[in-house]
Amino acid sequence: MHLAADRKCRPLALILTAGQAADSPQFIPVLKKVRVRGPVGRPRSRPEAVAGDKAYSSRGNRAYLRKRRIKAVIPEKKDQTANRKKKGSRGGRPVSHDTELYKERNTVERAINRMKAWRGIATRYDKTPGSYLAGLYLRASMIWIKDLKRAIP
């Protein structure tokens, strides 16, 4: 399960892949699924910033975020830093990220924990990917409904 979440630990988009699939290749497909509807207008698909761990620090992911003018809050891996420094002035500028905003990256982990609070998702009882994905969507909608009920006085 690969997902994007907002700052309130609510799932925005999710993709289901095989268990051995790496996280980094799923970064762009998950972001392409993000749609947030406001009170008026068309749904927003471009967040102001995206926070991720070092696993998402690839040249392709950063280029995608740069092209869409999304702030990347992803630290650089040590080997990438070493390779950049080894190239000297041709290696480019160091990657910067907002450390205060990076501290909120744990919201994705907390959103996954909220999803797994439902036993069927945590233990993967469903045999087919379709029924498991349906359970994921059901659990995500339950999280949203519970959060929206809390917001209404």
Side-chain angles (χ1 to χ4, degrees), residues 77-148:
K77 291 181 182 178
K78 289 182 182 179
D79 64 333
Q80 291 173 343
T81 305
N83 288 335
R84 183 179 41 75
K85 287 181 179 178
K86 185 172 62 175
K87 290 181 181 178
S89 61
R90 293 179 296 118
R93 293 182 301 193
V95 174
S96 64
H97 72 280
D98 186 352
T99 54
E100 289 302 312
L101 195 55
Y102 183 70
K103 290 178 184 176
E104 294 185 29
R105 185 192 61 80
N106 66 18
T107 57
V108 175
E109 305 299 331
R110 292 187 352 237
I112 291 171
N113 287 339
R114 286 178 81 180
M115 295 285 283
K116 288 184 175 181
W118 209 24
R119 187 171 55 135
I121 292 173
T123 57
R124 182 78 200 257
Y125 283 134
D126 297 313
K127 299 296 180 203
T128 62
S131 61
Y132 187 68
L133 188 60
L136 289 173
Y137 283 132
L138 181 61
R139 179 63 182 150
S141 62
M142 290 168 59
I143 291 170
W144 271 92
I145 290 169
K146 184 177 181 181
D147 194 60
L148 291 174

Side-chain angles (χ1 to χ4, degrees), residues 42-96:
R42 63 189 174 116
R44 286 192 57 205
S45 62
R46 187 175 65 85
E48 293 177 17
V50 172
D53 59 4
K54 290 182 181 183
Y56 299 106
S57 178
S58 73
R59 190 175 281 180
N61 290 344
R62 289 185 186 281
Y64 176 78
L65 293 174
R66 204 174 310 114
K67 184 176 79 174
R68 296 202 57 219
R69 294 174 297 162
I70 300 172
K71 182 179 179 179
V73 186
I74 304 170
E76 193 174 29
K77 291 181 182 178
K78 289 182 182 179
D79 64 333
Q80 291 173 343
T81 305
N83 288 335
R84 183 179 41 75
K85 287 181 179 178
K86 185 172 62 175
K87 290 181 181 178
S89 61
R90 293 179 296 118
R93 293 182 301 193
V95 174
S96 64

Side-chain angles (χ1 to χ4, degrees), residues 26 35 39-40 129:
Q26 306 309 319
R35 299 281 185 270
V40 293

